Amino acid sequence: MVCGNSGKAIIIVDVLNDFVTGSLRCDRAQRIVPHLVDLVKNAREKGIPVIYSNDAHIKGIDHELKLWGDHAIVGTEGAEVIPELEPKEGDYIVPKRRYSGFYGTDMEMLLKELNVDTVILTGLHAHMCVRHTAADAYYRGYNIIVPTDGVDSFTEEDYLAGLKYLKEVYGAEISDVDEIVRGF
């Protein structure tokens, strides 16, 4: 699927079983799931690419595991996207081994080939993986949109700090899913 004239793509960061219900469970993640389901449904209907930026760690190897413990280990159920947001034919999956969806992945090449100039960043966590993915998107010249009801973090403090940082440092447009969908 080639992105239409919108130039937008949805990037869903780490909405995986381990992050929602597993070893790195974030109780607040459930709050964003219905909004993400709506966003993804509308994006697919409009031909806007849906890209999953998923932790895919190698047990006993990846540096990040030293800090966070085993999570999203390749081949485990914990590394799979939650059932409510299961990737469909035409969606893209970009595995990652670090916080950023760009670092050591083919995200940039995929976005270029899809003619994307604006990324809509969603998922977990606003102050970590979403933030680092936003940094790399910003460095590469992408416009960034972040829905307040499409990202979250372990705590309210981290969530609010994440949104503030994304807006002030990367110029992210902070919106909500309904407003983004109306812009499709």
Side-chain angles (χ1 to χ4, degrees), residues 40-67:
V40 167
K41 175 185 169 285
N42 280 281
R44 288 178 181 142
E45 288 173 0
K46 298 291 186 181
I48 295 169
V50 175
I51 302 168
Y52 294 84
S53 177
N54 298 340
D55 264 11
H57 293 298
I58 300 172
K59 186 173 179 69
I61 299 292
D62 287 0
H63 185 69
E64 189 178 305
L65 301 177
K66 293 174 186 170
L67 184 60

mmCIF file of all heavy atoms in Angstrom, residues 40-67:
data_model
loop_
_atom_site.group_PDB
_atom_site.id
_atom_site.type_symbol
_atom_site.label_atom_id
_atom_site.label_comp_id
_atom_site.label_asym_id
_atom_site.label_seq_id
_atom_site.Cartn_x
_atom_site.Cartn_y
_atom_site.Cartn_z
ATOM 1 N N VAL A 40 -6.725 3.429 14.253
ATOM 2 C CA VAL A 40 -6.237 2.452 13.280
ATOM 3 C C VAL A 40 -7.333 2.110 12.267
ATOM 4 O O VAL A 40 -7.083 2.040 11.060
ATOM 5 C CB VAL A 40 -5.701 1.194 14.005
ATOM 6 C CG1 VAL A 40 -5.493 0.047 13.042
ATOM 7 C CG2 VAL A 40 -4.414 1.528 14.740
ATOM 8 N N LYS A 41 -8.549 1.914 12.745
ATOM 9 C CA LYS A 41 -9.673 1.603 11.849
ATOM 10 C C LYS A 41 -9.845 2.713 10.817
ATOM 11 O O LYS A 41 -9.947 2.454 9.611
ATOM 12 C CB LYS A 41 -10.952 1.428 12.670
ATOM 13 C CG LYS A 41 -12.213 1.231 11.860
ATOM 14 C CD LYS A 41 -13.430 1.180 12.781
ATOM 15 C CE LYS A 41 -14.720 1.258 12.034
ATOM 16 N NZ LYS A 41 -15.053 2.588 11.542
ATOM 17 N N ASN A 42 -9.867 3.936 11.270
ATOM 18 C CA ASN A 42 -10.049 5.076 10.370
ATOM 19 C C ASN A 42 -8.860 5.249 9.426
ATOM 20 O O ASN A 42 -9.038 5.580 8.251
ATOM 21 C CB ASN A 42 -10.296 6.355 11.167
ATOM 22 C CG ASN A 42 -11.722 6.455 11.631
ATOM 23 O OD1 ASN A 42 -12.600 6.811 10.857
ATOM 24 N ND2 ASN A 42 -11.969 6.102 12.885
ATOM 25 N N ALA A 43 -7.661 5.035 9.918
ATOM 26 C CA ALA A 43 -6.472 5.148 9.070
ATOM 27 C C ALA A 43 -6.531 4.116 7.950
ATOM 28 O O ALA A 43 -6.286 4.446 6.775
ATOM 29 C CB ALA A 43 -5.206 4.977 9.903
ATOM 30 N N ARG A 44 -6.839 2.885 8.299
ATOM 31 C CA ARG A 44 -6.922 1.834 7.270
ATOM 32 C C ARG A 44 -7.967 2.182 6.220
ATOM 33 O O ARG A 44 -7.733 1.990 5.025
ATOM 34 C CB ARG A 44 -7.240 0.486 7.913
ATOM 35 C CG ARG A 44 -6.084 -0.099 8.691
ATOM 36 C CD ARG A 44 -6.493 -1.406 9.351
ATOM 37 N NE ARG A 44 -5.402 -1.991 10.120
ATOM 38 C CZ ARG A 44 -5.581 -2.602 11.276
ATOM 39 N NH1 ARG A 44 -6.791 -2.722 11.814
ATOM 40 N NH2 ARG A 44 -4.536 -3.115 11.916
ATOM 41 N N GLU A 45 -9.121 2.695 6.660
ATOM 42 C CA GLU A 45 -10.188 3.064 5.718
ATOM 43 C C GLU A 45 -9.743 4.157 4.756
ATOM 44 O O GLU A 45 -10.200 4.210 3.615
ATOM 45 C CB GLU A 45 -11.434 3.521 6.483
ATOM 46 C CG GLU A 45 -12.169 2.398 7.170
ATOM 47 C CD GLU A 45 -13.305 2.872 8.077
ATOM 48 O OE1 GLU A 45 -13.531 4.110 8.187
ATOM 49 O OE2 GLU A 45 -13.965 2.002 8.683
ATOM 50 N N LYS A 46 -8.864 5.039 5.205
ATOM 51 C CA LYS A 46 -8.393 6.154 4.375
ATOM 52 C C LYS A 46 -7.086 5.840 3.642
ATOM 53 O O LYS A 46 -6.533 6.709 2.974
ATOM 54 C CB LYS A 46 -8.195 7.411 5.234
ATOM 55 C CG LYS A 46 -9.452 7.914 5.900
ATOM 56 C CD LYS A 46 -10.426 8.463 4.880
ATOM 57 C CE LYS A 46 -11.611 9.085 5.598
ATOM 58 N NZ LYS A 46 -12.599 9.604 4.691
ATOM 59 N N GLY A 47 -6.584 4.622 3.799
ATOM 60 C CA GLY A 47 -5.347 4.244 3.117
ATOM 61 C C GLY A 47 -4.100 4.836 3.739
ATOM 62 O O GLY A 47 -3.058 4.931 3.093
ATOM 63 N N ILE A 48 -4.200 5.233 5.003
ATOM 64 C CA ILE A 48 -3.044 5.769 5.720
ATOM 65 C C ILE A 48 -2.284 4.594 6.334
ATOM 66 O O ILE A 48 -2.873 3.766 7.030
ATOM 67 C CB ILE A 48 -3.489 6.781 6.799
ATOM 68 C CG1 ILE A 48 -4.127 7.990 6.111
ATOM 69 C CG2 ILE A 48 -2.333 7.187 7.693
ATOM 70 C CD1 ILE A 48 -4.838 8.946 7.038
ATOM 71 N N PRO A 49 -0.995 4.501 6.077
ATOM 72 C CA PRO A 49 -0.231 3.364 6.587
ATOM 73 C C PRO A 49 -0.254 3.267 8.109
ATOM 74 O O PRO A 49 -0.183 4.277 8.815
ATOM 75 C CB PRO A 49 1.201 3.644 6.107
ATOM 76 C CG PRO A 49 1.072 4.604 4.997
ATOM 77 C CD PRO A 49 -0.162 5.411 5.289
ATOM 78 N N VAL A 50 -0.344 2.033 8.578
ATOM 79 C CA VAL A 50 -0.272 1.727 10.005
ATOM 80 C C VAL A 50 1.010 0.923 10.204
ATOM 81 O O VAL A 50 1.195 -0.134 9.600
ATOM 82 C CB VAL A 50 -1.499 0.931 10.477
ATOM 83 C CG1 VAL A 50 -1.354 0.522 11.938
ATOM 84 C CG2 VAL A 50 -2.780 1.734 10.247
ATOM 85 N N ILE A 51 1.884 1.462 11.045
ATOM 86 C CA ILE A 51 3.193 0.860 11.280
ATOM 87 C C ILE A 51 3.323 0.521 12.760
ATOM 88 O O ILE A 51 3.109 1.370 13.618
ATOM 89 C CB ILE A 51 4.326 1.827 10.866
ATOM 90 C CG1 ILE A 51 4.174 2.212 9.393
ATOM 91 C CG2 ILE A 51 5.691 1.205 11.151
ATOM 92 C CD1 ILE A 51 5.057 3.377 8.966
ATOM 93 N N TYR A 52 3.677 -0.706 13.035
ATOM 94 C CA TYR A 52 3.914 -1.156 14.403
ATOM 95 C C TYR A 52 5.410 -1.118 14.671
ATOM 96 O O TYR A 52 6.181 -1.782 13.982
ATOM 97 C CB TYR A 52 3.373 -2.570 14.603
ATOM 98 C CG TYR A 52 1.871 -2.644 14.497
ATOM 99 C CD1 TYR A 52 1.247 -2.756 13.269
ATOM 100 C CD2 TYR A 52 1.084 -2.582 15.637
ATOM 101 C CE1 TYR A 52 -0.134 -2.813 13.163
ATOM 102 C CE2 TYR A 52 -0.301 -2.632 15.549
ATOM 103 C CZ TYR A 52 -0.897 -2.753 14.314
ATOM 104 O OH TYR A 52 -2.273 -2.798 14.212
ATOM 105 N N SER A 53 5.809 -0.342 15.653
ATOM 106 C CA SER A 53 7.197 -0.235 16.088
ATOM 107 C C SER A 53 7.300 -1.019 17.389
ATOM 108 O O SER A 53 6.948 -0.523 18.458
ATOM 109 C CB SER A 53 7.565 1.243 16.287
ATOM 110 O OG SER A 53 8.864 1.364 16.774
ATOM 111 N N ASN A 54 7.756 -2.254 17.278
ATOM 112 C CA ASN A 54 7.662 -3.206 18.386
ATOM 113 C C ASN A 54 9.014 -3.601 18.951
ATOM 114 O O ASN A 54 9.896 -4.023 18.201
ATOM 115 C CB ASN A 54 6.993 -4.497 17.900
ATOM 116 C CG ASN A 54 5.585 -4.299 17.425
ATOM 117 O OD1 ASN A 54 4.937 -3.310 17.755
ATOM 118 N ND2 ASN A 54 5.096 -5.246 16.649
ATOM 119 N N ASP A 55 9.126 -3.522 20.276
ATOM 120 C CA ASP A 55 10.279 -4.121 20.919
ATOM 121 C C ASP A 55 10.351 -5.582 20.491
ATOM 122 O O ASP A 55 9.322 -6.284 20.450
ATOM 123 C CB ASP A 55 10.138 -4.066 22.442
ATOM 124 C CG ASP A 55 10.835 -2.877 23.073
ATOM 125 O OD1 ASP A 55 11.260 -1.966 22.348
ATOM 126 O OD2 ASP A 55 10.938 -2.861 24.313
ATOM 127 N N ALA A 56 11.535 -6.031 20.165
ATOM 128 C CA ALA A 56 11.783 -7.417 19.763
ATOM 129 C C ALA A 56 13.191 -7.766 20.247
ATOM 130 O O ALA A 56 14.155 -7.688 19.509
ATOM 131 C CB ALA A 56 11.659 -7.555 18.245
ATOM 132 N N HIS A 57 13.275 -8.108 21.524
ATOM 133 C CA HIS A 57 14.574 -8.276 22.167
ATOM 134 C C HIS A 57 15.122 -9.696 22.042
ATOM 135 O O HIS A 57 14.372 -10.667 21.986
ATOM 136 C CB HIS A 57 14.483 -7.890 23.641
ATOM 137 C CG HIS A 57 14.224 -6.444 23.847
ATOM 138 N ND1 HIS A 57 15.093 -5.465 23.430
ATOM 139 C CD2 HIS A 57 13.171 -5.791 24.414
ATOM 140 C CE1 HIS A 57 14.610 -4.275 23.739
ATOM 141 N NE2 HIS A 57 13.432 -4.445 24.331
ATOM 142 N N ILE A 58 16.444 -9.757 22.064
ATOM 143 C CA ILE A 58 17.142 -11.040 22.070
ATOM 144 C C ILE A 58 17.551 -11.332 23.513
ATOM 145 O O ILE A 58 18.318 -10.581 24.116
ATOM 146 C CB ILE A 58 18.372 -11.003 21.145
ATOM 147 C CG1 ILE A 58 17.934 -10.699 19.705
ATOM 148 C CG2 ILE A 58 19.147 -12.319 21.242
ATOM 149 C CD1 ILE A 58 19.094 -10.457 18.761
ATOM 150 N N LYS A 59 16.987 -12.407 24.045
ATOM 151 C CA LYS A 59 17.219 -12.768 25.448
ATOM 152 C C LYS A 59 18.713 -12.919 25.732
ATOM 153 O O LYS A 59 19.449 -13.532 24.973
ATOM 154 C CB LYS A 59 16.488 -14.065 25.779
ATOM 155 C CG LYS A 59 16.558 -14.435 27.254
ATOM 156 C CD LYS A 59 15.681 -15.640 27.537
ATOM 157 C CE LYS A 59 15.726 -16.060 28.975
ATOM 158 N NZ LYS A 59 15.090 -15.136 29.895
ATOM 159 N N GLY A 60 19.128 -12.283 26.827
ATOM 160 C CA GLY A 60 20.503 -12.402 27.265
ATOM 161 C C GLY A 60 21.499 -11.554 26.486
ATOM 162 O O GLY A 60 22.685 -11.570 26.797
ATOM 163 N N ILE A 61 21.025 -10.795 25.509
ATOM 164 C CA ILE A 61 21.913 -10.018 24.653
ATOM 165 C C ILE A 61 21.635 -8.512 24.758
ATOM 166 O O ILE A 61 22.552 -7.733 24.995
ATOM 167 C CB ILE A 61 21.768 -10.444 23.168
ATOM 168 C CG1 ILE A 61 22.133 -11.911 22.978
ATOM 169 C CG2 ILE A 61 22.581 -9.540 22.252
ATOM 170 C CD1 ILE A 61 23.591 -12.237 23.180
ATOM 171 N N ASP A 62 20.404 -8.123 24.562
ATOM 172 C CA ASP A 62 20.083 -6.702 24.412
ATOM 173 C C ASP A 62 20.366 -5.905 25.686
ATOM 174 O O ASP A 62 19.932 -6.276 26.781
ATOM 175 C CB ASP A 62 18.631 -6.516 23.985
ATOM 176 C CG ASP A 62 18.404 -6.897 22.534
ATOM 177 O OD1 ASP A 62 19.375 -7.300 21.858
ATOM 178 O OD2 ASP A 62 17.254 -6.795 22.071
ATOM 179 N N HIS A 63 21.079 -4.812 25.499
ATOM 180 C CA HIS A 63 21.496 -3.932 26.584
ATOM 181 C C HIS A 63 20.311 -3.443 27.417
ATOM 182 O O HIS A 63 20.401 -3.340 28.640
ATOM 183 C CB HIS A 63 22.267 -2.748 25.987
ATOM 184 C CG HIS A 63 22.849 -1.819 26.989
ATOM 185 N ND1 HIS A 63 23.893 -2.175 27.821
ATOM 186 C CD2 HIS A 63 22.534 -0.540 27.287
ATOM 187 C CE1 HIS A 63 24.192 -1.157 28.595
ATOM 188 N NE2 HIS A 63 23.390 -0.153 28.289
ATOM 189 N N GLU A 64 19.211 -3.144 26.769
ATOM 190 C CA GLU A 64 18.020 -2.616 27.455
ATOM 191 C C GLU A 64 17.488 -3.581 28.514
ATOM 192 O O GLU A 64 16.906 -3.159 29.519
ATOM 193 C CB GLU A 64 16.944 -2.336 26.393
ATOM 194 C CG GLU A 64 15.738 -1.603 26.892
ATOM 195 C CD GLU A 64 14.748 -1.327 25.773
ATOM 196 O OE1 GLU A 64 15.126 -0.724 24.753
ATOM 197 O OE2 GLU A 64 13.579 -1.731 25.945
ATOM 198 N N LEU A 65 17.684 -4.863 28.309
ATOM 199 C CA LEU A 65 17.182 -5.864 29.255
ATOM 200 C C LEU A 65 17.873 -5.772 30.606
ATOM 201 O O LEU A 65 17.301 -6.153 31.626
ATOM 202 C CB LEU A 65 17.331 -7.276 28.675
ATOM 203 C CG LEU A 65 16.598 -7.524 27.354
ATOM 204 C CD1 LEU A 65 16.889 -8.938 26.856
ATOM 205 C CD2 LEU A 65 15.109 -7.271 27.481
ATOM 206 N N LYS A 66 19.090 -5.243 30.635
ATOM 207 C CA LYS A 66 19.806 -5.074 31.898
ATOM 208 C C LYS A 66 19.090 -4.072 32.796
ATOM 209 O O LYS A 66 19.116 -4.176 34.011
ATOM 210 C CB LYS A 66 21.240 -4.621 31.646
ATOM 211 C CG LYS A 66 22.088 -5.664 30.964
ATOM 212 C CD LYS A 66 23.454 -5.126 30.612
ATOM 213 C CE LYS A 66 24.225 -6.156 29.807
ATOM 214 N NZ LYS A 66 25.449 -5.613 29.239
ATOM 215 N N LEU A 67 18.455 -3.102 32.190
ATOM 216 C CA LEU A 67 17.745 -2.066 32.940
ATOM 217 C C LEU A 67 16.307 -2.468 33.264
ATOM 218 O O LEU A 67 15.816 -2.222 34.361
ATOM 219 C CB LEU A 67 17.758 -0.758 32.139
ATOM 220 C CG LEU A 67 17.161 0.471 32.779
ATOM 221 C CD1 LEU A 67 17.889 0.829 34.076
ATOM 222 C CD2 LEU A 67 17.227 1.649 31.816
#
